[in-house]
Amino acid sequence: QVQLVESGGGLVQAGGSLRLSCVASGRTFNDHDMDWFRQAPGKDREFVAGINWNGGDTAYADSVKGRFTISRNNAENTVWLQMTGLKAEDTAVYYCASKRATKYSYSWGGVPNYWGQGTQVTVSS
């Protein structure tokens, strides 16, 4: 079993930046796509960003496109979410997730195999 440990959440002013990190332990994840999801109070968990197994292909929700960047380093078993131009509506608990890759490029959808514990991001306005 893989453990995903997230960090980097916190309180930031609107327009500011924050970088979230997710470190996997137990095994390497170089055969897994990685995703970031978020869940705001009273709302469903939603997809934010994804990256394919080798880091060469990325995908973003329309709501964060142009503001957030997902990246990974498989040698460090780490995935990041660089968040810039933060808005109040970005306030949520952010979760890291992994799923087994089924093709070379990023695979939309599917059920993640593992989830992180979540890290709170609060954007003040």
Side-chain angles (χ1 to χ4, degrees):
Q1 186 172 8
V2 173
Q3 295 286 322
L4 303 176
V5 180
E6 302 173 1
S7 62
L11 175 65
V12 65
Q13 186 173 263
S17 300
L18 207 60
R19 187 175 73 165
L20 308 182
S21 299
C22 174
V23 179
S25 62
R27 64 177 296 277
T28 59
F29 59 30
N30 63 351
D31 61 345
H32 279 61
D33 291 352
M34 299 295 295
D35 294 314
W36 287 95
F37 290 80
R38 68 185 182 187
Q39 187 168 24
K43 302 294 181 64
D44 293 332
R45 189 171 298 185
E46 64 175 346
F47 170 80
V48 176
I51 189 166
N52 81 322
W53 62 274
N54 74 354
D57 189 33
T58 58
Y60 298 93
D62 288 341
S63 59
V64 306
K65 194 173 300 181
R67 298 188 297 119
F68 291 7
T69 302
I70 186 171
S71 60
R72 70 188 296 165
N73 186 319
N74 288 350
E76 298 179 359
N77 288 348
T78 302
V79 61
W80 297 273
L81 184 68
Q82 179 66 51
M83 310 163 68
T84 62
L86 284 164
K87 306 174 181 179
E89 53 262 43
D90 294 318
T91 296
V93 178
Y94 284 71
Y95 297 90
C96 177
S98 68
K99 60 189 179 186
R100 192 180 305 277
T102 58
K103 58 181 181 179
Y104 187 88
S105 60
Y106 175 77
S107 296
W108 289 91
V111 179
N113 301 111
Y114 304 102
W115 292 89
Q117 79 285 356
T119 184
Q120 176 71 48
V121 173
T122 302
V123 183
S124 63
S125 59

